[in-house]
Structures are given as C-alpha cells and as structure tokens.
C-alpha cells in the first residue's frame, strides 16, 4: 500500500482534528506530562470568554508538577508555527 502525505492531510481536515488524532496516537492511555511523566493527572485547559489571558486549544495542565504542555512538546512541532496538519 502506498502512503501519500497529502492524501492523509486531506482526510484530516482542520487543525483541531489533526491535534486530536495526534493526541490519540501519542497518548493512547491518556495524556502524559512531558515534564514529570505523570499519566492521566492533567486536564485540558478551556479558554473563558472575555479572559485577559486566552488559552490556545490543546493546552493541558499537569496537576503533579503544575506545568502546562501540549501534544507537540518534545516533537519537531514544539517550536514550530507549522500546523499539525502538515505533519500527517
């Protein structure tokens, strides 16, 4: 079977869908904090309307070490402005 990057990107669609797919691949047993290694001791942060400090989608907070992280931490996308859809 031939794998084409553009075909998979077309199937994923938007950035949120790509991020959710990447999370399910990278964290099959639940989110893992890249700072302390705790599994399933975090929660996805939700932006409140009217907040002075809005939160990006896909940002998690670990309740073990209190650090924030996303699925891209520790990957080639960590310091990139390239959308996740380009990596699939």
């Amino acid at each position: 079977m031939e794998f084409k990057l553009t075909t998979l990107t077309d199937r994923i669609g938007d950035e949120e869908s790509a991020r959710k797919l990447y999370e399910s691949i990278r964290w099959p047993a639940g989110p893992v904090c890249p700072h302390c290694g705790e599994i399933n001791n975090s929660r996805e942060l939700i932006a409140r309307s009217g907040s002075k400090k809005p939160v990006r989608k896909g940002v998690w907070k670990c309740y073990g070490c209190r650090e924030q992280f996303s699925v891209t931490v520790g990957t080639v996308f960590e310091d990139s402005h390239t959308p996740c859809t380009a990596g699939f």
Side-chain angles (χ1 to χ4, degrees):
M1 180 175 150
E2 186 177 325
F3 176 80
K4 292 186 178 182
L5 183 64
T6 55
T7 303
L8 189 53
T9 301
D10 292 341
R11 289 183 187 172
I12 292 171
D14 62 1
E15 182 73 12
E16 177 138 2
S17 298
R19 183 181 45 78
K20 290 290 186 189
L21 174 63
Y22 194 29
E23 287 176 353
S24 71
I25 293 169
R26 187 161 186 213
W27 301 327
V32 178
C33 177
H35 304 289
C36 69
E38 287 206 33
I39 301 170
N40 284 328
N41 191 20
S42 57
R43 166 177 83 84
E44 188 170 8
L45 298 178
I46 307 298
R48 294 184 197 142
S49 61
S51 175
K52 293 181 182 178
K53 295 182 179 180
V55 177
R56 290 180 295 118
K57 289 185 179 184
V59 175
W60 294 76
K61 182 171 184 172
C62 175
Y63 289 100
C65 67
R66 313 290 290 173
E67 294 288 331
Q68 293 182 3
F69 62 95
S70 73
V71 71
T72 60
V73 172
T75 71
V76 295
F77 293 112
E78 183 173 2
D79 292 323
S80 173
H81 294 288
T82 304
C84 286
T85 52
F88 292 103

